[in-house]
Amino acid sequence: MTHPDPGKGGRRVLRVEGGAPLSGEVRIYPAKNAALPILAASLLTEEPVTLLEVPRLRDVEVMLELLAHLGTRYLWEGRTLHLHTPEIRSTHAPYELVGQMRASFIVWGALLARVGEARISLPGGCAFGARPVDQHVKALRALGAEVVEEEGQFYARRTRPLSGRVVFDLPTVGGTEQAMLAVALGGEATLVQAAMEPEVEDLGRFLEMLGVEVRGLGGAVLHVRGAKRLGGGTYRIIPDRIEAGTYLLAAAATRGSLTLTGVRPDHLDALLDKLQGSGHRLEVGADWVRFTATPDPLPLQVEAREYPGFPTDLQPIVTAYLATVPGQSTVTDRVYPDRFTHVGELARMGAELYLKDRTLLIHGKRLHGAQVKALDIRAGGGLVVAALSAEGVSEIEGVYFLERGYEDLVERLGALGAQVRLEETPLAVAAD
């Protein structure tokens, strides 16, 4: 699907003058991919919920629009978000909202738990290959829900609290979260081959605060026992490991030095291991990481896979870094084998990339500035990393995607020494 790039009728681009090593300190914001399912989970309770340090991103605003449509009242106080859903006003999550972002699909399970029925449209979001919802449907049916699909709409209803055993065909973050929400009010489930990502664990911790019993968090088998009525409370969302990884890879690509604060290093094990394997120096504390680049990094073999493996969301970004590393590197993605929308755009910057049998061969070299376009959030992150390292000026279109995933990107990169700015040029007007 196409996405708007809101502006004042002009062409919005991120202008990057590359070649300067990043240097300094950056505080990592809370995780978008943890915040979104927790926002959906707030639908489960009649009581007020307060979330601390919520990322102010376009995807969060879209989710809040959807929640408001369903009955949620919300209020921002700085970066603190207050939510209250005393009653559900609608059981239909419409396409114009769900179609903008895949993560919104899990309100389906929350509505089903709260009011016994829900209708939702097929989700949208970033287009980088097949991202089916079959595991969501399988889970709800295994738990006893009646599910009907017609013309891109999914309708589910239940006559009793959902319960049962779900054996996923493969680990699925959204499917696991969907099932957790669906049984949170009076239901019970055992989830086998559940996703182990930190964002799933964070949702589980939030549900525990509301009164749900969750056993096995961080493992592949979860047991969830809901309560008949849930409470509220105040919760702090985990730091964003993908944002942290993007800044680390930007420092690596520019051969800079960087200190991350407010981070969970244990969530970054796979990336930190690769950076050390490439020859960079790392120091790690309880909530900080200090990175110093080697001027002569080594190539890598990277396989993106389910947590605790290398994150698929960092695959386009590590590809951009490796495009700057002399020698041959390889990148594959077991989670989304066709997630390579960034390859053609990196080639415009001089990157030597060859895709063969879903394996990307990379011959690293110095990149040059170019006009490129982000086609999804993390492809955009990769283009920023490449542009920061390149000789000359790059202009990156698709700013909409960057704003969905990276908060205050221009200001924070600028504070690290990067020459970046957001520009808007008026569209050409045809002569009469």
Side-chain angles (χ1 to χ4, degrees):
M1 65 181 292
T2 58
H3 295 274
D5 194 354
K8 299 176 182 177
R11 171 177 170 265
R12 301 172 71 228
V13 299
L14 187 68
R15 189 179 189 275
V16 182
E17 185 173 341
L22 295 192
S23 178
E25 181 177 302
V26 62
R27 177 176 169 270
I28 297 304
Y29 287 154
K32 173 184 82 106
N33 291 339
L36 295 174
I38 287 172
L39 286 171
S42 72
L43 291 169
L44 293 166
T45 180
E46 302 172 11
E47 300 299 322
V49 168
T50 297
L51 301 177
L52 304 177
E53 287 287 303
V54 179
R56 300 294 295 260
L57 292 166
R58 187 159 290 168
D59 276 10
V60 170
E61 296 293 350
V62 170
M63 180 64 90
L64 288 173
E65 286 182 49
L66 175 56
L67 296 186
H69 170 81
L70 299 173
T72 301
R73 308 166 189 167
Y74 68 90
L75 174 69
W76 287 102
E77 281 188 336
R79 298 178 60 83
T80 296
L81 180 61
H82 303 281
L83 302 146
H84 190 202
T85 313
E87 62 179 353
I88 299 295
R89 292 202 304 264
S90 173
T91 60
H92 179 214
Y95 176 75
E96 56 265 27
L97 293 172
V98 180
Q100 296 183 50
M101 182 180 62
R102 180 177 175 84
S104 59
F105 193 67
I106 66 168
V107 302
W108 194 31
L111 289 172
L112 184 60
R114 177 87 182 258
V115 294
E117 65 174 344
R119 183 183 300 275
I120 193 164
S121 299
L122 193 69
C126 294
F128 48 70
R131 307 175 77 189
V133 296
D134 59 307
Q135 296 301 298
H136 298 244
V137 173
K138 174 181 179 175
L140 294 189
R141 285 177 172 159
L143 295 169
E146 175 189 331
V147 181
V148 178
E149 178 189 358
E150 52 184 26
E151 298 180 352
Q153 298 274 325
F154 293 86
Y155 174 76
R157 66 184 293 270
R158 63 172 178 83
T159 56
R160 56 171 178 77
L162 299 180
S163 63
R165 186 179 183 88
V166 179
V167 181
F168 291 107
D169 295 326
L170 72 170
T172 163
V173 172
T176 301
E177 294 168 341
Q178 190 84 269
M180 293 169 72
L181 298 185
V183 300
L185 276 165
E188 187 169 359
T190 298
L191 310 179
V192 180
Q193 202 170 190
M196 297 188 291
E197 272 73 3
E199 295 79 12
V200 173
E201 182 175 352
D202 210 35
L203 174 62
R205 301 293 180 205
F206 176 77
L207 292 176
E208 287 179 325
M209 183 191 76
L210 299 185
V212 179
E213 180 185 328
V214 188
R215 298 202 308 269
L217 282 172
V221 179
L222 296 180
H223 186 78
V224 185
R225 178 181 293 171
K228 290 185 178 180
R229 188 174 183 276
L230 299 178
T234 299
Y235 191 80
R236 184 180 296 273
I237 296 163
I238 58 172
D240 194 325
R241 62 193 175 104
I242 306 304
E243 179 183 89
T246 301
Y247 281 103
L248 285 173
L249 287 164
T254 61
R255 312 300 191 257
S257 60
L258 196 61
T259 298
L260 305 185
T261 61
V263 72
R264 283 281 300 269
D266 56 319
H267 292 168
L268 298 168
D269 278 341
L271 172 62
L272 298 182
D273 178 69
K274 290 298 182 184
L275 290 173
Q276 285 184 317
S278 197
H280 303 294
R281 181 184 172 192
L282 288 157
E283 299 173 71
V284 175
D287 61 355
W288 55 268
V289 173
R290 185 171 296 123
F291 171 90
T292 305
T294 175
D296 302 303
L298 302 172
L300 296 171
Q301 292 184 325
V302 177
E303 180 185 62
R305 55 190 305 159
E306 297 84 1
Y307 189 85
F310 193 92
T312 179
D313 276 357
L314 287 180
Q315 181 264 104
I317 302 161
V318 78
T319 294
Y321 158 64
L322 292 173
T324 75
V325 177
Q328 180 173 297
S329 297
T330 62
V331 172
T332 57
D333 196 326
R334 285 182 47 165
V335 181
Y336 296 117
D338 297 314
R339 187 176 193 163
F340 290 112
T341 64
H342 48 290
V343 168
E345 299 304 301
L346 289 174
R348 294 176 183 271
M349 305 177 76
E352 293 189 19
L353 311 166
Y354 308 93
L355 189 58
K356 182 179 181 180
D357 299 328
R358 291 182 165 178
T359 296
L360 189 63
L361 305 178
I362 305 168
H363 298 282
K365 56 184 290 191
R366 189 67 187 264
L367 304 181
H368 58 74
Q371 291 188 345
V372 292
K373 185 173 184 178
L375 300 174
D376 62 68
I377 297 172
R378 306 308 173 185
L383 293 178
V384 171
V385 167
L388 289 169
S389 74
E391 291 181 338
V393 175
S394 296
E395 290 187 348
I396 304 173
E397 294 188 56
V399 173
Y400 163 83
F401 287 108
L402 290 168
E403 292 173 342
R404 284 183 56 195
Y406 296 100
E407 187 176 354
D408 299 333
L409 183 64
V410 172
E411 294 81 3
R412 294 164 86 195
L413 286 175
L416 298 174
Q419 298 297 312
V420 293
R421 68 174 183 264
L422 190 60
E423 290 188 347
E424 182 173 340
T425 56
L427 297 174
V429 179
D432 293 336

